[in-house]
Amino acid sequence: MTDATSHPEPTLIALVRHGETEWNRERRIQGMTDIPLNDTGREQAAETGSRLVDGEWDAVYASTLSRAAETAEIIAGVLELPAPRLFGALAERSHGVLEGLDHAGRAAVEAQAATIEGLEPRSTVIARASAALAEIAAAHPGGSVVVVSHGGVIHSLILELSDWTLPGTGYAIANGSVHLLRHAAGALELVEPELLTGTEA
């Protein structure tokens, strides 16, 4: 029996960005808009599953948005694990009126508005995603899980966990990429954060 101050064994979390969508290809802001994977995205999901197959994974989890949920389903199939459990708190950051715009359109809106209607505060994204990952870790003490989420969520978590020193300049959270976190002693931490300082192709 453990006392009230003890913590469960650390949990390894492979945080995966979903595969490509048409809006990704067109460089349009998705946010909470539910855009499905395209065929390239499905291929990326299968490739990510293949990269993870040598690990010992206990379960797969995902955001409720279809692009993440389908990515997780494909990965779970490759890893021969049950269907993923979905968490709304792992969904992408809401970008409000920016959703659907390309980067030029976003810049034009931002140049004209002091605040962006519907843009979710980054602190809120970090808080909800961290709580979801803590809940997932609590279900798998000493285990390893795959969690499929979104570029904005992953980027926000890396900023928070590195005291805003990472990602490095020009670093992209690529579709299908894997970033390792650990939940230990009641808190999240980066695993091998030096891996995050380069630029992904």
Side-chain angles (χ1 to χ4, degrees):
M1 186 175 198
T2 58
D3 62 46
T5 61
S6 66
H7 294 284
E9 290 296 308
T11 303
L12 181 68
I13 300 169
L15 193 56
V16 175
R17 186 185 178 197
H18 62 79
E20 184 187 81
T21 71
E22 285 303 295
W23 278 23
N24 286 147
R25 188 181 60 79
E26 296 167 0
R27 299 182 60 79
R28 296 168 67 187
I29 298 167
Q30 294 180 120
M32 289 291 288
T33 306
D34 199 1
I35 307 300
L37 294 181
N38 59 21
D39 288 341
T40 297
R42 296 181 182 97
E43 291 172 2
Q44 290 169 334
E47 289 168 1
T48 300
S50 296
R51 288 166 55 200
L52 295 169
V53 77
D54 290 334
E56 295 184 5
W57 304 102
D58 302 314
V60 181
Y61 293 83
S63 154
T64 49
L65 293 173
S66 63
R67 56 190 183 272
E70 185 177 2
T71 298
E73 289 169 6
I74 293 168
I75 291 173
V78 174
L79 299 180
E80 299 182 346
L81 290 170
R85 181 180 170 191
L86 306 183
F87 275 71
L90 295 170
E92 181 59 295
R93 182 185 188 186
S94 174
H95 281 74
V97 296
L98 299 177
E99 295 184 14
L101 299 178
D102 61 16
H103 289 271
R106 174 179 186 161
V109 171
E110 290 177 334
Q112 297 176 25
T115 59
I116 305 301
E117 182 181 348
L119 179 63
E120 184 179 11
R122 193 182 293 277
S123 59
T124 302
V125 178
I126 292 167
R128 63 173 169 83
S130 296
L133 293 177
E135 181 179 344
I136 290 167
H140 301 278
S144 300
V145 295
V146 179
V147 178
V148 182
S149 189
H150 304 265
V153 174
I154 297 169
H155 186 265
S156 296
L157 287 170
I158 291 171
L159 285 170
E160 175 72 7
L161 297 176
S162 69
D163 291 325
W164 293 69
T165 61
L166 297 172
T169 302
Y171 185 85
I173 309 294
N175 293 111
S177 61
V178 179
H179 295 82
L180 296 179
L181 307 181
R182 183 185 293 111
H183 193 274
L188 284 169
E189 59 186 25
L190 293 172
V191 176
E192 299 183 77
E194 67 274 10
L195 299 178
L196 305 175
T197 59
T199 301
E200 291 192 348

